[in-house]
């Protein structure tokens, strides 16, 4: 039976991609700071020598460094351009620009002067040998500094250049490929309109941290029209990335004089990815391998990072690796594949030791049919490692070659993991039309697709067709996403006890998440220890992804307990791991969790970088997309009004759709209403959210809502909630802030402020100290109030620009009532007295009189002065 083909993406008419102008300088901040210190030092090194392979970013770093010493006269030489000109022009005369630069250099070197100057030479290894003595004189000049760059490609740096840094005249800086975070930031900014995250991950993975290669591949994709517009961003067309001619030209000098055997070895290593050294030694003598290693074309990696402890080989240069792995034509790929298989007597030995995913893709790129065993293992490996584009491609090939229930189920799993729900629906429809017997194999994939699209009513209608254990699993997950934490916990507990073993770990994760929302994070930490022990006895396999989620939930439990430093360390580790391994959507989820903690620390702009990064994804699950928008809006509401971009909330998002983020959405909406003066609606939103949280057993969420009421100076719910059952210092302190605010108890508010500060919640601590200062002034304790205000200002220095109601008028030593602060805020925001009166159901006279009292208290002449004083952080 032939599978039904799927409809490809099509480009948007009249809309073509374009490269961005002036891409950001990323990933070299530490190197730039080191150069700055050298250039500003009066003693010590005479300059910096930047080295590295082609395409690593030497020239860009050199140009950025020029701005670090604006008081130095810049003399710039570009030997590569001069060498290119000499190779094409008659005679050997230098260009006028070079002649002028050399004359300037000779002049400043010859004459003793105190005027500082900077000599910049890009590709210094190409400098004419007759100029090296002048260069050495410049390095010894007391008023000069040198910035040089040289490539490590080829035979090496000339001895005359080596003498400059070996004699410690210059600091040598060996540039490494960009790290994953830098690559991610660069790929996100390459195209106007944005590059889809799956395509960005493909590009980042293929380019090995080379900025030049990233730019060249993106430029070639634009020129060759290999990009299509879909879901608001650009995506690569087809399975292969383009191979720019410019990259081949850069690599050619390194490969041109290689014999056929060495060339074959490089091609095999590039196509195999990172094969075992013992496999590569089948194709050439040790002498040839040593030559390739000496020329930096091959690198040997010890077995420390390999699960089997195998020594492996990889291409040493990102440009060469890309050109050899992506630039080979299909027939040559096929010949190399057959050579590789013949040397290993078939795929069985390779499956036992090497990367099945890379091997299966090698088959497909060579237009060969992978063996069923290779494909099956490669698909599972791709899904386990969250290499979703590979999982989709391989599972599609498996379905086309062997259309049966198993291959249909694997392809549906891959499409679900990739959140490609339109294609999932199309595929399920096509499979059912092709063979009714396949329908049962796809019911679970269909149910999971409905779950992750938040189509809960349709899911409930489908569940009776599934086995009892599967029904319990999907009901548990749905109740958790909907925010019904007591029900979710009970279902998860029963599933761990009586359900299928395959769902036991995920049920444990749901229990941990539910316990955190229920205000029991210490119990969640106890459950974590149990789940960690279970996982350590069964590593790998399908549970690998859930193992990563387990660490994230571990950090969340620590976060809710108030152990911020421990939580942040885990969050950063998990986030960096996902980014490093190009795990699309997983890095977004980890960034979202990290941003949540940074927000609670009060580092709002750093949190926003995580949320902006997350919400820029065009591939994801509905629940996480909504969560990202809500948390980004939450962070934005803490910034001054002039620093807030457009709201990141998804259009038409309702409390029901927000699910387990309903409380955070309520906080966002309440802050917006409060800022516009509609305090009654703001209070009602929070009161309703607290009641809903209590109904679902979410005591932690209820504590957050009560804390927010106090932060906005809103009345608490009536009747007041009964005593909440909360574990952990963070949740308990948030609730005590509300108690201290209602009772106007300075001692309790002081304890709250210190507790927030001790755990690292800087913004909440500053707000508590600001309120403490108000209480103390009301009680006549001016000296103690001044000390509390100073402590609040000290904490705010670590938060960056923030503006929340408790902090307003922190600067002047004034005492405003809650109503005065609210009216002053609306007036400072530009509302007229009449508008304020209508919004607050007051008379215009009352508003005017209140503003008059505020002006006298804070020393303002008008609304403009009021706006400045509201967020003033200087001394009283």
């Amino acid at each position: 039976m032939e599978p039904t083909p799927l409809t490809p993406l099509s480009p948007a008419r009249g809309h073509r991609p374009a490269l961005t102008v002036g891409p950001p300088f990323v990933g070299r901040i530490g190197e730039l700071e080191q150069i700055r210190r050298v250039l500003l030092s009066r003693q010590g090194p005479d300059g910096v020598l930047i080295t590295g392979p082609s395409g690593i970013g030497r020239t860009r770093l050199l140009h950025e460094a020029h701005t670090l010493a604006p008081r130095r006269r810049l003399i710039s030489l570009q030997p590569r351009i001069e060498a290119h000109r000499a190779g094409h022009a008659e005679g050997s005369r230098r260009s006028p620009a070079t002649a002028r630069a050399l004359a300037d250099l000779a002049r400043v070197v010859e004459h003793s002067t105190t005027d500082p100057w900077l000599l910049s030479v890009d590709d210094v290894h190409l400098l004419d040998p007759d100029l090296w003595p002048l260069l050495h004189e410049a390095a010894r000049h007391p008023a000069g500094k040198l910035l040089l760059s040289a490539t490590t490609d080829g035979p090496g740096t000339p001895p005359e250049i080596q003498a400059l840094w070996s004699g410690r005249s210059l600091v040598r800086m060996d540039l490494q490929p960009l790290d994953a975070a830098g690559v991610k930031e660069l790929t996100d900014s390459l195209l106007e309109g944005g590059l889809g995250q799956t395509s960005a991950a493909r590009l980042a993975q293929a380019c090995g941290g080379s900025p030049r290669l990233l730019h060249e591949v993106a430029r070639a994709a634009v020129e060759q029209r290999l990009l299509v517009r879909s879901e608001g961003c650009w995506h690569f067309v087809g399975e292969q990335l383009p191979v720019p001619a410019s990259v081949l030209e850069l690599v050619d000098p390194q490969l041109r004089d290689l014999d056929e055997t060495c060339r074959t070895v490089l091609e095999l290593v590039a196509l195999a990815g990172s094969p075992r050294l013992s496999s590569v030694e089948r194709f050439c003598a040790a002498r040839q391998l040593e030559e390739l290693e000496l020329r930096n074309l091959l690198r040997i990696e010890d077995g420390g990072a390999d699960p089997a402890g195998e020594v492996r080989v990889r291409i040493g240069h990102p440009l060469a690796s890309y050109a050899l792995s992506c630039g080979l034509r299909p027939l040559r790929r096929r010949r190399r594949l057959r050579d590789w298989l013949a040397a290993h007597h078939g795929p069985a030995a390779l499956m036992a030791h090497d990367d099945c995913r890379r091997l299966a893709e090698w088959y497909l790129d060579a237009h060969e049919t992978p063996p069923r065993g290779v494909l099956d293992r490669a698909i599972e490996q791709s899904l386990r490692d969250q290499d979703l584009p590979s999982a989709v491609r391989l599972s599609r090939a498996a379905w086309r070659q062997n259309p049966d229930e198993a291959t249909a189920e694997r392809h549906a799993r891959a499409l679900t993991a990739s959140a490609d729900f339109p294609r999932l629906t199309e595929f399920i429809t096509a499979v059912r039309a092709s063979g009714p017997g396949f329908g049962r194999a796809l019911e679970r994939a269909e149910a999971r697709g409905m779950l992750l699209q938040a189509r809960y009513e349709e899911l409930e209608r489908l569940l009776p067709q599934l086995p009892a254990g599967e029904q319990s699993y999907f009901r548990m997950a749905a109740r958790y996403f909907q925010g019904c934490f007591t029900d979710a916990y009970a279902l998860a507990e029963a599933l761990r006890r009586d359900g299928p073993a395959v769902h036991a770990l995920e049920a444990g994760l749901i229990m941990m998440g539910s316990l955190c929302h229920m205000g029991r994070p210490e119990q969640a930490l106890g459950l974590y220890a149990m789940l960690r022990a279970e996982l350590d006895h069964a590593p790998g396999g399908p549970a690998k992804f859930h193992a990563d989620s387990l660490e994230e939930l571990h950090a969340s439990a620590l976060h809710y307990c108030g152990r911020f430093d421990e939580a942040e360390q885990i969050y950063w580790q998990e986030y960096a791991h996902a980014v490093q391994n190009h795990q699309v959507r997983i890095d977004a989820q980890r960034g979202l969790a990290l941003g949540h903690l940074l927000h609670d620390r009060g580092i709002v702009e750093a949190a926003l970088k995580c949320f902006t990064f997350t919400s820029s994804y065009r591939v994801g699950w509905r629940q996480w997309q909504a969560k990202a928008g809500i948390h980004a809006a939450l962070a934005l509401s803490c910034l001054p009004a002039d620093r807030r971009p457009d709201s990141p909330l998804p259009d038409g998002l309702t409390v029901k759709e927000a699910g387990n983020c309903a409380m955070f959405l309520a906080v966002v909406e309440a802050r917006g209403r409060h800022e516009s003066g509609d305090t009654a609606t703001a209070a009602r939103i929070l009161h309703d959210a607290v009641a809903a949280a209590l109904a679902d057993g979410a005591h932690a969420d209820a504590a957050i809502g009560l804390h927010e009421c106090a932060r906005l100076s809103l009345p608490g719910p009536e009747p007041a909630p009964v005593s909440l059952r909360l574990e952990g210092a963070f949740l308990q302190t948030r609730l005590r802030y509300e108690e201290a605010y209602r009772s106007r108890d300075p001692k309790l508010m002081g304890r709250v402020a210190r507790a927030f500060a001790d755990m690292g919640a800087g913004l909440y601590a500053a707000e508590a100290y600001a309120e403490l200062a108000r209480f103390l002034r009301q009680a006549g304790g001016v000296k103690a109030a001044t000390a509390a205000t100073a402590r609040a200002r000290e904490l705010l220095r670590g938060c960056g620009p923030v503006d929340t109601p408790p902090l307003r008028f922190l600067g002047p030593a004034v005492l405003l009532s809650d109503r005065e602060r609210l009216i002053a805020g609306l007036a400072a925001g530009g509302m007229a007295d009449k508008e304020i009166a209508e919004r607050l159901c007051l008379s215009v006279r009352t508003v005017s009189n209140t503003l008059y009292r505020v002006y006298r208290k804070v020393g303002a002449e008008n609304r403009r002065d009021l706006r400045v004083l509201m967020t003033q952080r200087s001394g009283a």
Side-chain angles (χ1 to χ4, degrees), residues 595-624:
H596 183 194
L597 175 67
L598 294 176
H599 170 267
D600 282 348
R601 274 195 179 278
I603 314 172
V604 179
E605 288 193 320
L608 269 172
K609 290 182 179 179
C610 296
F611 298 143
T612 302
F613 173 65
T614 301
S615 59
S616 71
Y617 274 67
R618 305 303 195 268
V619 175
W621 297 337
R622 173 65 177 171
Q623 291 86 346
W624 275 273

Side-chain angles (χ1 to χ4, degrees), residues 483-626:
C484 303
F485 300 110
T486 303
D487 291 350
Y489 181 86
L491 289 167
E493 190 175 37
L495 193 61
R496 272 184 63 80
R497 184 178 59 249
D498 303 321
V502 69
H503 296 314
L505 179 58
E506 197 165 357
L509 299 179
I510 294 290
M511 290 174 68
M512 281 189 68
S514 298
L515 284 170
C516 288
H517 283 279
M518 294 161 71
R520 293 149 60 185
E522 292 177 355
Q523 292 184 47
L525 290 177
L527 181 57
Y528 162 77
M530 183 188 305
L531 296 175
R532 185 76 260 174
E534 291 177 8
L535 197 63
D536 290 342
H537 286 89
K544 184 177 184 298
F545 165 62
H546 298 313
D548 297 337
S549 298
L550 176 60
E551 289 307 316
E552 181 186 323
L553 283 167
H554 177 208
S556 295
L558 292 170
H559 176 179
Y560 273 65
C561 283
R563 295 160 62 178
F564 280 19
D565 291 341
E566 297 171 72
E568 185 172 347
Q569 182 179 3
I570 296 173
Y571 279 140
W572 274 116
Q573 289 174 348
E574 294 303 308
Y575 176 64
H577 179 269
V579 172
Q580 185 70 39
N581 290 280
H582 310 290
Q583 293 178 330
V584 177
R585 194 194 62 251
I586 304 304
D587 54 1
Q589 293 171 213
R590 303 295 180 256
L592 176 55
L594 172 62
H596 183 194
L597 175 67
L598 294 176
H599 170 267
D600 282 348
R601 274 195 179 278
I603 314 172
V604 179
E605 288 193 320
L608 269 172
K609 290 182 179 179
C610 296
F611 298 143
T612 302
F613 173 65
T614 301
S615 59
S616 71
Y617 274 67
R618 305 303 195 268
V619 175
W621 297 337
R622 173 65 177 171
Q623 291 86 346
W624 275 273
Q625 288 176 331

Side-chain angles (χ1 to χ4, degrees), residues 115-182:
D115 293 335
W117 50 271
L118 172 65
L119 173 63
S120 172
V121 187
D122 196 10
D123 292 316
V124 68
H125 55 282
L126 298 178
L127 199 66
D128 285 346
D130 59 348
L131 295 178
W132 285 336
L134 180 60
L135 189 67
H136 279 263
E137 284 188 59
R140 293 192 295 269
H141 197 280
K145 294 284 186 180
L146 274 62
L147 272 179
L148 313 179
S149 82
T151 183
T152 53
D153 297 338
T157 310
E160 292 80 2
I161 306 303
Q162 291 182 8
L164 289 172
W165 68 266
S166 60
R168 300 192 176 181
S169 294
L170 304 182
V171 172
R172 175 166 174 158
M173 183 180 293
D174 295 306
L175 289 191
Q176 301 301 316
L178 287 178
D179 61 15

Side-chain angles (χ1 to χ4, degrees), residues 250-299:
L250 287 170
V251 171
D252 183 64
Q254 302 175 60
L255 308 181
R256 187 185 304 144
D257 58 345
L258 292 177
D259 60 33
E260 183 61 23
T261 302
C262 288
R263 178 86 182 207
T264 297
V265 169
L266 289 179
E267 290 175 356
L268 287 169
V269 171
L271 292 170
S274 183
R276 291 169 293 149
L277 176 59
S278 57
S279 293
V280 178
E281 288 176 331
R282 298 169 185 256
F283 293 91
C284 65
R287 178 183 55 79
Q288 292 169 313
L289 281 177
E290 290 173 8
E291 179 186 351
L292 291 172
E293 184 183 32
L294 185 63
R295 297 175 61 165
N296 292 323
L297 289 172
L298 281 185
R299 289 189 182 178

